[in-house]
């Protein structure tokens, strides 16, 4: 919520960067940490579901693909709703989807039913990422980059805490009852948190962007053109990102280290990603979103190359931690760039579109990695495929950085980049 700044505002009206803004931010982080479970549950459950339905790795990976498609599509729809009605109604819809869809996944008797349920899980999860990031960007001005990445870290907090819990559920009650349990937790805990957020926001539900600061970065590109370029860049980086995130558990199982070791590596990757995301937000507030994105893209490519040459248990732990530290700030950087270079009134919608592109890249990358594995019998070619896609992303971001520097020089020293 971006409160109007005019002389007639009441003494208790919301103001950016205030104590109330930080309370909202913490609440949003907790919501994302619970609601983000859907993105990581399938990663841990791939081997068990593959065994039960006697399916190929690629066929089961389709559940991740459909979940990510629902996540991206839902982000655009939820962004539109958020721009018009605020975040609370969107979160209420999210809770309903997550509860029902997880129960349906647990009750599925055929693989197509399981895959369809994960599409609904993706729709429900979507509100906990792009719309929340865009919403948080209206609560801060001085610390906007940090705020956006803190909210985005909810996704990685979920990736840190949920995989071990889900693996424990698999071992004790099976994947079906684990899904039902996830649905119950999402409905109960998220409802409480959303009510807390609603109380914090009080009557601050009507948007007024008339006094919002103008874009700080001028790329001499139309809003639609910049959206397309950011979308292509996010697809490319996320195809590369998907290989370790989606298949590390199955990869460890194939190498003989066991699913539990893979789940631990995934949690370690996400924990390091939290550090990376928050650090990238701090960095973006200092140097801008585009340079921060370029640094993350270069580092991610570096880590992917290491996966090609090392596969011992110890090295995989180290590389997974390194991968998390390098790539954690990439996706939130797109949201920061949107807020730096586009009008505030379109924030949630534009962020939703770019995040849709990123999750399309994640879903395609997760699926194609499974297909490459089925075709070659190993993940080496899949890692190489990720490196190639990452190079495309670097090229686009480098082009945007050059344009931003050129236009900053033309505009003069007073132009903030």
């Amino acid at each position: 919520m971006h409160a109007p700044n005019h002389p007639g505002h009441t003494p208790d009206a919301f103001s950016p960067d205030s104590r109330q803004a930080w309370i909202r931010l913490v609440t949003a982080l907790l919501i994302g940490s619970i609601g983000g479970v859907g993105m990581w549950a399938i990663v841990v459950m791939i081997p068990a579901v593959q065994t039960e339905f006697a399916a190929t790795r690629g066929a089961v990976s389709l559940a991740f693909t459909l979940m990510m498609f629902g996540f991206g599509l839902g982000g655009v729809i939820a962004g539109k709703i958020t721009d018009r009605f605020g975040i609370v109604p969107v979160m209420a819809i999210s809770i309903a989807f997550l509860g029902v869809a997880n129960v349906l996944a647990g009750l599925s008797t055929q693989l197509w039913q399981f895959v369809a349920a994960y599409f609904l899980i993706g729709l429900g999860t979507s509100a906990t990422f792009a719309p929340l990031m865009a919403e948080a960007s209206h609560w801060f001005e001085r610390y906007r980059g940090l705020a956006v990445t803190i909210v985005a870290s909810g996704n990685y907090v979920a990736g840190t805490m949920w995989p071990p819990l889900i693996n424990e559920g698999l071992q004790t009650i099976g994947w079906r009852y684990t899904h039902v349990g996830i649905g119950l937790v999402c409905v109960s805990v998220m409802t409480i948190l959303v009510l807390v957020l609603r109380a914090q926001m009080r009557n601050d539900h009507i948007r007024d962007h008339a006094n919002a600061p103008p874009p700080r970065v001028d790329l001499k590109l139309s809003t639609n053109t910049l959206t397309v370029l950011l979308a292509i860049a996010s697809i490319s980086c996320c195809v590369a990102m998907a290989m370790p995130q989606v298949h590390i558990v199955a990869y460890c199982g194939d190498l003989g280290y066991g699913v539990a070791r893979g789940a631990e590596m995934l949690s370690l990757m996400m924990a390091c990603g939290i550090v990376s995301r928050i650090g990238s937000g701090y960095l973006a507030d200092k140097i801008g979103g585009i340079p921060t994105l370029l640094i993350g893209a270069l580092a991610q490519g570096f880590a992917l190359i290491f996966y090609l040459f090392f596969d011992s248990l110890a090295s995989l732990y180290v590389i997974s931690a390194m991968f998390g530290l390098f790539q954690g700030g990439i996706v939130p950087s797109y949201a920061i760039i949107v807020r730096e270079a586009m009008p505030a009134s379109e924030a949630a919608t534009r962020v939703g579109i770019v995040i849709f592109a990123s999750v399309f890249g994640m879903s395609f990358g997760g699926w194609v990695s499974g297909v490459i594995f089925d075709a070659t019998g190993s993940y080496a070619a899949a890692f190489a495929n990720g490196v190639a896609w990452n190079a495309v992303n670097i090229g686009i971001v480098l082009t945007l950085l050059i344009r931003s520097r050129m236009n900053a020089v033309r505009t003069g020293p007073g132009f903030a980049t």
Side-chain angles (χ1 to χ4, degrees), residues 154-168:
N155 175 270
Y156 275 10
V157 173
T160 301
M161 71 178 189
W162 280 109
L165 295 174
I166 293 169
N167 183 63
E168 183 65 24

Side-chain angles (χ1 to χ4, degrees), residues 40 156 159-160 245 265-274 327:
W40 310 108
Y156 275 10
T160 301
Q245 288 190 2
M265 289 179 198
L266 180 61
S267 291
L268 177 62
M269 189 187 299
M270 296 302 101
C272 291
I274 296 170
Q327 59 80 42

Side-chain angles (χ1 to χ4, degrees), residues 37 41 82 85 126 129 141 160 175 186 206 215 244 246 250 268 282 296 319-320 337 353 365-366 371 400 404:
V37 59
T82 301
F85 300 106
S126 66
F129 196 63
E141 291 178 2
T160 301
W175 65 268
C186 287
I206 301 176
V246 178
L268 177 62
Y282 177 81
I319 298 170
S320 295
I337 294 170
I353 292 172
V371 171
L400 293 178
S404 70

Side-chain angles (χ1 to χ4, degrees), residues 4-167:
N5 296 316
H6 52 76
H9 76 283
T10 59
D12 61 344
F14 174 78
S15 60
D17 299 293
S18 63
R19 178 176 177 273
Q20 187 182 2
W22 287 102
I23 294 175
R24 292 184 186 185
L25 186 66
V26 171
T27 306
L29 172 62
L30 293 174
I31 291 172
S33 301
I34 301 300
V37 59
M39 297 190 69
W40 310 108
I42 184 58
V43 177
V44 180
M45 294 182 180
I46 283 177
V49 175
Q50 181 182 0
T51 299
E52 173 144 348
F53 290 116
T56 64
R57 184 70 52 79
V60 179
S61 297
L62 191 61
F64 179 85
T65 300
L66 266 292
M67 183 276 294
M68 293 301 287
F69 180 73
F71 181 80
L73 179 62
V76 177
I77 298 171
K80 280 281 189 182
I81 298 173
T82 301
D83 277 334
R84 183 168 182 181
F85 300 106
I87 194 65
V88 173
V90 172
M91 295 311 309
I93 297 171
S94 169
I95 292 170
F97 268 87
L98 285 171
V100 172
N102 273 287
V103 172
L104 290 176
L107 296 176
S108 59
T109 58
Q110 299 183 49
L111 183 58
W112 73 265
Q113 296 172 349
F114 181 82
V115 171
Y118 260 89
F119 173 72
L120 298 179
I121 289 174
L123 288 175
T125 305
S126 66
T128 68
F129 196 63
L132 268 183
M133 282 196 293
E135 185 71 22
S137 74
H138 297 302
W139 302 339
F140 293 84
E141 291 178 2
R142 182 179 178 186
Y143 300 107
R144 179 182 296 158
L146 183 61
V148 167
T149 53
I150 287 175
V151 170
S153 295
N155 175 270
Y156 275 10
V157 173
T160 301
M161 71 178 189
W162 280 109
L165 295 174
I166 293 169
N167 183 63

Side-chain angles (χ1 to χ4, degrees), residues 48-331:
V49 175
Q50 181 182 0
T51 299
E52 173 144 348
F53 290 116
T56 64
R57 184 70 52 79
V60 179
S61 297
L62 191 61
F64 179 85
T65 300
L66 266 292
M67 183 276 294
M68 293 301 287
F69 180 73
F71 181 80
L73 179 62
V76 177
I77 298 171
K80 280 281 189 182
I81 298 173
T82 301
D83 277 334
R84 183 168 182 181
F85 300 106
I87 194 65
V88 173
V90 172
M91 295 311 309
I93 297 171
S94 169
I95 292 170
F97 268 87
L98 285 171
V100 172
N102 273 287
V103 172
L104 290 176
L107 296 176
S108 59
T109 58
Q110 299 183 49
L111 183 58
W112 73 265
Q113 296 172 349
F114 181 82
V115 171
Y118 260 89
F119 173 72
L120 298 179
I121 289 174
L123 288 175
T125 305
S126 66
T128 68
F129 196 63
L132 268 183
M133 282 196 293
E135 185 71 22
S137 74
H138 297 302
W139 302 339
F140 293 84
E141 291 178 2
R142 182 179 178 186
Y143 300 107
R144 179 182 296 158
L146 183 61
V148 167
T149 53
I150 287 175
V151 170
S153 295
N155 175 270
Y156 275 10
V157 173
T160 301
M161 71 178 189
W162 280 109
L165 295 174
I166 293 169
N167 183 63
E168 183 65 24
L170 286 175
Q171 305 304 319
T172 55
I173 60 176
W175 65 268
R176 295 182 181 278
Y177 286 112
T178 299
H179 271 106
V180 174
I182 290 172
L184 294 175
V185 169
C186 287
V187 170
S188 57
V189 179
M190 288 180 68
T191 297
I192 294 172
L193 291 171
V194 171
L195 288 175
V196 171
L197 181 62
R198 183 176 181 272
Q200 284 295 322
M201 297 177 77
R202 300 172 190 166
N203 296 321
D204 189 18
H205 63 277
I206 301 176
R207 274 216 167 74
D208 182 358
H209 295 294
N211 297 298
R216 293 183 292 181
V217 176
D218 185 6
L219 296 171
K220 299 299 181 184
L221 295 171
S222 69
T223 302
N224 289 336
T225 299
L226 180 56
T227 301
V228 170
L229 287 174
L230 291 176
I232 295 172
S234 62
I235 290 172
S236 302
C237 77
C238 289
V239 170
M241 192 183 298
M243 175 54 232
Q245 288 190 2
V246 178
H247 290 275
I248 190 66
V249 176
Y251 183 42
C252 286
D254 295 338
L255 291 173
Y257 301 136
V259 171
R261 301 287 81 77
E264 290 172 357
M265 289 179 198
L266 180 61
S267 291
L268 177 62
M269 189 187 299
M270 296 302 101
C272 291
I274 296 170
V275 176
S276 175
R277 286 202 162 172
I278 296 176
S280 69
Y282 177 81
L283 184 63
D285 284 330
K286 300 295 182 182
I287 67 174
I290 296 176
T292 301
L293 177 57
L294 181 60
I295 292 170
L298 289 168
Q300 174 175 267
F302 182 73
L304 283 170
I305 292 173
F306 271 83
Y307 274 114
L308 285 169
F309 296 101
F310 302 95
D311 62 2
S312 68
L313 183 61
S315 65
L316 285 177
Y317 274 108
V318 173
I319 298 170
S320 295
M322 183 172 66
F323 185 80
L325 284 172
F326 288 170
Q327 59 80 42
I330 291 178
V331 173

